[in-house]
Amino acid sequence: MNELNSLRSAVRGRILLPGDPGFDSARRPWNLAVEQPVAAVVEAADADDVATLVRHARTAGLGIATQPNGHGATGHTDGTVLLRTRRLDSLHIDPTTRRARIGAGVASGRLQAAAAPHGLTGLPGSSPIVSVTGVALGGGLSWFGRKHGWVADNVTALDIIDADGHPRHITAGTDPDLFWALRGGGGDFAIVTALELALHPAPHLYGGRMLWTAEHAPDVMDAYRQITATATDELTLWLDLLHFPGSDPMVAIDATYLGDEDEARDLLRPLDRLPAPLSDGRATMTVAELGTITAEPTDPGPGSSRAELLTALDDTTVKTLLADPIAPLLSAQIRHLGGAFTHPSDSPHGPLTEPYALYLFGVPTDPAVAAAIATKQRELADALPVSGRKPLTFLNPGETAADAFTPAALERLRAIKRHHDPHDIFRSNFPIGR
Ligand SMILES: Cc1cc2nc3c(=O)[nH]c(=O)nc-3n(C[C@H](O)[C@H](O)[C@H](O)COP(=O)(O)OP(=O)(O)OC[C@H]3O[C@@H](n4cnc5c(N)ncnc54)[C@H](O)[C@@H]3O)c2cc1C
């Protein structure tokens, strides 16, 4: 603790120790179902603070869990210092080279808002409030992954603090192993203070959510399968079975198209032959507005999720999915993958060849509901054609990095961990093991 006390005068950011006012709220992750015990919280003001913290933690024999927000928190944080990176918020866009250079705390929505006026886009997922770094270091499934692959594959350089507390600028050329590991293997190998990313042209974007009552789910699913069977890589469709408290079960189609409205409407024509929707939010939009499509919660709350990669969405799969109401789940989301996800990827995940991802989500309001949610998730996963592996960013607290990677990739990640962090200072939400 002396080392941590001495940190107070050594860094410019805020340090909270147990007993300090605000300690409990500072250590709390976004997912309130996860309890997160930590020795201290450090809100770094800059990269120098991060370097100082690494040197102190090493001397004190403590680990560091780096979390911008803790959307993926698992609670494996005993004996660690929780590093918050939100103040590392620099953001620079070079429209000529189509590159962004951002601090490690920048949220996805902020990058999108800065890229949009240049007719460019990053690779955002469904939520604008998750950090670009957290998503990219876990591989990252974006709305535009069918066109541009894993988010991680679009990272071109990283500024890091290594396990000796030294700042370094790394690329595939300077540090091939470490760069490979960080682009999808999580934050077990270094602390990232800034990233450089490729941006992509997005002069036109069309998208939005259509919503029907659940009685139309079979027809909506038919149209979804028909469109996704031949979709171009610019078109991405997700299907959601939804059951929110106090409302009737519903089914939604969420769509984005990297192109203009006429082309999109043409590709989405099977949806126009369906019964009239309750609402149709499709419109020309900017890439800064993507978060409005699924309108996911932006305040912390308890959540319980399970993701699977589906090897097929055939008649039997659909029959199983639609056989019973999804309750006690709130949502069962199917994401269309394919396209550039299947291309060669020099990253720990490698190519993502499963055609669809499934994300099952519930809110564990009490232990009985939590148990019922877990049972429902397990029953569906057991009954559906799943490949068994999962994207790192979609793991839940009960799963491990071994659920995301092939044995060969995991062994390479562990060798890189032993070499670059022999004292196990860096502790990601899903430790890679040793
Ligand atoms: C509402 C919601 C929607 C989501 N949608 C998507 C989606 O569409 N696609 C997708 O792929 N994922 C999605 N996710 C999952 C999300 O990518 C993960 O939760 C991820 O962990 C990012 O969250 P975060 O920014 O809070 O990172 P945290 O959970 O705080 O951190 C995640 C991990 O990233 C690493 N890390 C973060 N910053 C650093 C750093 N500076 N240095 C070293 N390591 C670091 C650490 O290993 C840490 O354990 C979603 C999550 C939520 C809650």
Side-chain angles (χ1 to χ4, degrees), residues 94-312:
D94 184 338
T96 314
T97 57
R98 292 188 193 144
R99 287 277 192 278
R101 182 180 161 79
I102 59 169
V106 170
S108 172
R110 204 170 142 236
L111 174 61
Q112 290 304 107
H118 301 288
L120 297 172
T121 184
L123 294 182
S126 56
S127 167
I129 62 166
V130 299
S131 71
V132 177
T133 311
V135 176
L137 266 52
L141 298 176
S142 163
W143 270 116
F144 307 139
R146 288 175 38 73
K147 178 75 179 163
H148 300 293
W150 291 105
V151 178
D153 283 342
N154 293 270
V155 174
T156 51
L158 295 167
D159 285 0
I160 62 160
I161 304 295
D162 69 17
D164 294 323
H166 295 142
R168 293 170 57 195
H169 180 78
I170 68 164
T171 64
T174 63
D175 299 80
D177 280 337
L178 187 56
F179 195 66
W180 174 85
L182 281 165
R183 291 199 317 167
D188 248 10
F189 314 93
I191 296 174
V192 172
T193 53
L195 303 87
E196 285 173 22
L197 306 151
L199 300 175
H200 301 281
H204 304 287
L205 178 68
Y206 178 81
R209 167 170 282 186
M210 295 178 81
L211 200 63
W212 296 261
T213 52
E215 65 180 308
H216 299 303
D219 293 335
V220 175
M221 183 68 89
D222 276 353
Y224 179 74
R225 287 203 292 168
Q226 191 185 333
I227 298 169
T228 56
T230 56
T232 62
D233 295 350
E234 288 76 16
L235 181 66
T236 297
L237 250 62
W238 300 347
L239 181 146
D240 311 86
L241 302 170
L242 302 167
H243 194 176
F244 298 124
S247 93
D248 291 331
M250 289 178 285
V251 57
I253 294 277
D254 303 325
T256 60
Y257 180 67
L258 280 165
D260 69 28
E261 173 165 356
D262 288 346
E263 291 165 353
R265 285 210 162 265
D266 202 31
L267 293 164
L268 296 173
R269 201 168 295 136
L271 297 175
D272 298 331
R273 295 195 278 270
L274 292 172
L278 293 171
S279 62
D280 183 354
R282 291 175 302 168
T284 295
M285 55 168 52
T286 74
V287 296
E289 294 169 305
L290 279 163
T292 62
I293 297 180
T294 51
E296 287 165 0
T298 50
D299 289 329
S304 167
S305 64
R306 175 166 177 157
E308 299 290 346
L309 292 171
L310 296 175
T311 55

Side-chain angles (χ1 to χ4, degrees), residues 10-37:
V11 299
R12 293 200 309 118
R14 198 161 72 125
I15 301 199
L16 296 122
L17 298 177
D20 285 349
F23 173 76
D24 277 333
S25 62
R27 76 184 168 92
R28 201 171 290 145
W30 195 80
N31 182 354
L32 299 181
V34 172
E35 177 56 29
Q36 189 154 253

Side-chain angles (χ1 to χ4, degrees), residues 31 34 72-76 303-306 377 390 394-403 429-430:
N31 182 354
V34 172
T74 52
H76 306 312
S304 167
S305 64
R306 175 166 177 157
Q377 290 167 334
K390 298 134 193 261
F394 276 12
L395 293 182
N396 68 41
E399 295 169 329
T400 72
D403 293 304
N429 291 340
F430 297 97

